[in-house]
Amino acid sequence: MNNPLDPEEFKRQGYMIVDFLADYYHNIENYSVLSQVDPGYLQKNLPSYAPFGSESIEIILQDIKRHIIPGITHWQSPNFFAFFPSSGSTAGFMGEMLSTGLNTVGFNWLSSPAATELETMVMDWLGQELRLPKEFLFTGHGGGVMLGTTCEAILATLVAARDRMLNLIGRDNIGKLVVYGSDQTHCAVQKAAHIAGFDPNNFRAIKTSRSSSFSLLPQSLLKTIQKDLHSGLVPCYLCATVGTTSTTAIDPVGALCHVAKNYGMWIHVDAAYAGSACICPEFRHLIDGVEDADSFSLNAHKWFLTNLDCCCLWVKDPNSLIKSLSTNPSYLHNNASESKQVVDYKDWQITLSRRFRALKVWLVLRSYGISNLRNFLRSHVEMAKSFEELVKLDKRFEIVVPRNLAMVCFRVIPSVAHGGDANEINRKLLDSMNESGRVYMSHAMVDGMFIIRCAIGATLTQQEHVIIAWKIVQEHANTILNKTAISA
């Protein structure tokens, strides 16, 4: 075997991969957005054992084209409108390439000083653009960390909240601690509570309703807390969401904090999707009240041109994380850490090892600048407005909840279902569109309604793709509703 990191061979193969990806992006609209393969397809096409000898990159790339690409759901397609976006960019990719190429393992400052210091600086940069209170920034004795996903951010803050409360009431009282969210809160909170040792019966998914656009109401939170106190339980953690997965509902952060802080709860604001938009002055009000929260997070890999993965978490009291998550084995002892003059990010997260994610966000911020990033976000919001207006023009459909940012929730209304089940008709409509391969949207069930979600945010999406997407919706609705009418 030749040197596995020979610089010349690295360059040769690197150019080939870049050319391959450039061609992929150039031709991405030719692929079915949603992969159309059957389960187990890959086992039928690849050997059941690893090769004993080496194979050339040319042969491997042929297999990628022949067998892997058909099994890819194309998240970067301009016709991808499902879930939330996973936006990428040239700068994000180059940052990822640099991070992977340098291949640092920056668990503490000494293991790669630049990785730690760039991360602290970039987190303060981004925090300033979000107009986060100074208490969340390193310059204000708070600070930020880049994790993989919001799931990690929620688990880390939940563990810190647990320990903070148990230090007050005694560790044998963990069974009394209660975690609060709404029935629209991301499932990661309930999963994190389970991992962190909370009683599964002490997770509160407080009911929301269409009349409040599925936001968590402060009075509902207060009522639930008071009931738990009467039962001898201890409120511990609240997750308020800015941009829920199902409908992009906006929880009233300030009003919820006003309730929760009276009980000494840790308040986390999950703005995984919507947080990026808050660099735009006209959207900053969505996180008003964050000054009373303990932590705040967003996913830069959703809507900030930063390739997966990168979740940005800010905390007012880093020591709460450090007390709960720090490890200090002798083999990691060093003068810099013991001086208390540096940040050791291993103590801000669940894992020990960590990637140099700051390079990606740094390149994105520098390559595009705040002005262009704002316009990128605004362009998707404007496209969503136009899609919403197209839906409103067709009286067979309704907008289920008022649009927030760049996602539109809609459905075929029951009155045109010709006596059929409205949920089943909308399910068939969505399946029909997605199976066509021309667009990909996803769904949610809220208040007993099956709704279709059109989330606009792919980097390559333009107004023309949005217009075509609506025409595809109408085409498939025509076919399904005509069949329903005939069978009725």
Side-chain angles (χ1 to χ4, degrees):
M1 182 175 68
N2 295 326
N3 183 345
L5 200 54
D6 175 72
E8 291 306 313
E9 184 62 16
F10 176 84
K11 184 188 297 184
R12 186 183 78 85
Q13 293 192 27
Y15 281 129
M16 290 180 66
I17 297 297
V18 168
D19 285 344
F20 171 82
L21 288 172
D23 289 342
Y24 168 73
Y25 287 129
H26 184 73
N27 296 304
I28 197 166
E29 290 190 66
N30 296 331
Y31 299 111
S32 171
V33 187
L34 177 65
S35 174
Q36 305 294 313
V37 300
D38 295 322
Y41 89 99
L42 199 55
Q43 290 178 324
K44 300 173 183 177
N45 289 288
L46 294 181
S48 58
Y49 48 85
F52 184 73
S54 62
E55 298 181 84
S56 71
I57 188 64
E58 289 84 358
I59 295 296
I60 297 169
L61 275 175
Q62 286 179 17
D63 277 350
I64 291 174
K65 294 176 183 177
R66 188 180 301 118
H67 303 307
I68 301 302
I69 293 297
I72 294 290
T73 290
H74 301 281
W75 285 68
Q76 302 311 310
S77 169
N79 300 310
F80 185 98
F81 303 105
F83 309 111
F84 280 132
S86 179
S87 66
S89 66
T90 300
F93 180 85
M94 295 305 160
E96 182 69 35
M97 185 186 295
L98 282 167
S99 174
T100 302
L102 295 173
N103 205 23
T104 63
V105 187
F107 44 76
N108 61 14
W109 180 88
L110 187 66
S111 66
S112 251
T116 296
E117 297 199 11
L118 185 63
E119 187 162 334
T120 61
M121 292 179 65
V122 171
M123 288 300 291
D124 269 10
W125 278 11
L126 190 51
Q128 289 164 7
E129 295 305 326
L130 292 164
R131 288 165 47 208
L132 291 180
K134 194 171 183 179
E135 293 87 346
F136 280 108
L137 309 182
F138 283 100
T139 52
H141 306 295
V145 57
M146 293 181 185
L147 305 173
T149 68
T150 295
C151 299
E152 295 174 51
I154 288 172
L155 179 56
T157 55
L158 192 54
V159 168
R162 177 199 67 189
D163 290 350
R164 187 176 74 174
M165 187 60 73
L166 291 180
N167 287 338
L168 295 174
I169 67 173
R171 301 200 68 83
D172 56 344
N173 286 310
I174 188 172
K176 295 181 179 180
L177 301 184
V178 185
V179 176
Y180 300 86
S182 80
D183 57 3
Q184 303 301 309
T185 300
H186 197 279
C187 60
V189 179
Q190 188 169 9
K191 185 175 184 178
H194 175 71
I195 294 170
F198 287 78
D199 186 328
N201 294 317
N202 289 353
F203 176 78
R204 303 287 178 260
I206 301 170
K207 184 171 176 53
T208 60
S209 68
R210 190 178 184 182
S211 62
S212 62
S213 298
F214 300 104
S215 297
L216 175 57
L217 297 178
Q219 55 267 38
S220 299
L221 173 64
L222 179 59
K223 183 178 179 180
T224 307
I225 290 173
Q226 289 175 338
K227 183 178 179 181
D228 285 332
L229 289 171
H230 184 73
S231 301
L233 300 176
V234 180
C236 179
Y237 184 95
L238 167 67
C239 181
T241 307
V242 178
T244 61
T245 301
S246 294
T247 64
T248 58
I250 308 294
D251 289 342
V253 174
L256 293 172
C257 288
H258 181 72
V259 172
K261 69 181 182 180
N262 290 329
Y263 301 95
M265 298 166 63
W266 183 293
I267 305 160
H268 177 70
V269 178
D270 169 16
Y273 162 68
S276 297
C278 294
I279 67 167
C280 300
E282 65 269 30
F283 302 131
R284 172 56 176 78
H285 69 277
L286 297 176
I287 59 172
D288 282 355
V290 71
E291 61 273 10
D292 289 323
D294 296 276
S295 52
F296 172 85
S297 63
L298 64 82
N299 283 352
H301 60 244
K302 274 190 168 63
W303 203 16
F304 205 69
L305 294 177
T306 303
N307 295 46
L308 195 75
D309 57 13
C310 184
C311 170
C312 300
L313 167 68
W314 289 265
V315 291
K316 279 184 177 177
D317 180 18
N319 285 328
S320 294
L321 286 182
I322 293 168
K323 288 175 183 177
S324 294
L325 302 174
S326 65
T327 52
N328 194 30
S330 60
Y331 52 79
L332 293 182
H333 289 183
N334 64 86
N335 291 335
S337 295
E338 291 171 10
S339 74
K340 307 298 182 184
Q341 300 296 309
V342 298
V343 172
D344 285 340
Y345 271 127
K346 68 180 178 61
D347 300 329
W348 293 52
Q349 61 180 31
I350 304 300
T351 62
L352 176 69
S353 299
R354 61 198 324 274
R355 304 176 63 243
F356 196 172
R357 294 184 180 94
L359 271 176
K360 290 188 288 190
V361 184
W362 191 50
L363 261 70
V364 167
L365 288 169
R366 292 191 63 186
S367 297
Y368 305 125
I370 296 299
S371 177
N372 287 320
L373 288 167
R374 286 173 175 167
N375 289 334
F376 169 76
L377 295 160
R378 288 167 177 150
S379 71
H380 288 142
V381 175
E382 291 303 313
M383 290 181 215
K385 288 180 181 178
S386 69
F387 187 88
E388 180 183 37
E389 290 305 313
L390 290 170
V391 176
K392 289 179 178 178
L393 289 173
D394 190 327
K395 300 308 177 185
R396 300 173 299 172
F397 293 86
E398 68 172 340
I399 300 295
V400 178
V401 290
R403 177 195 50 77
N404 282 318
L405 299 174
M407 191 173 82
V408 180
C409 298
F410 66 100
R411 68 170 183 157
V412 173
I413 59 176
S415 62
V416 299
H418 303 291
D421 184 302
N423 283 349
E424 187 59 26
I425 286 173
N426 281 286
R427 188 187 302 275
K428 287 180 179 179
L429 171 58
L430 180 64
D431 288 345
S432 177
M433 292 190 303
N434 289 343
E435 287 168 6
S436 77
R438 297 165 67 194
V439 295
Y440 182 31
M441 298 183 190
S442 56
H443 75 279
M445 283 291 295
V446 290
D447 212 17
M449 295 180 292
F450 183 97
I451 65 172
I452 301 173
R453 303 164 66 261
C454 178
I456 298 168
T459 308
L460 297 174
T461 300
Q462 301 292 329
Q463 179 69 15
E464 64 193 74
H465 300 105
V466 174
I467 294 171
I468 292 171
W470 176 243
K471 289 180 179 178
I472 293 170
V473 173
Q474 290 182 305
E475 289 173 14
H476 288 264
N478 290 340
T479 301
I480 289 169
L481 290 174
N482 286 339
K483 287 181 180 178
T484 304
I486 292 171
S487 62

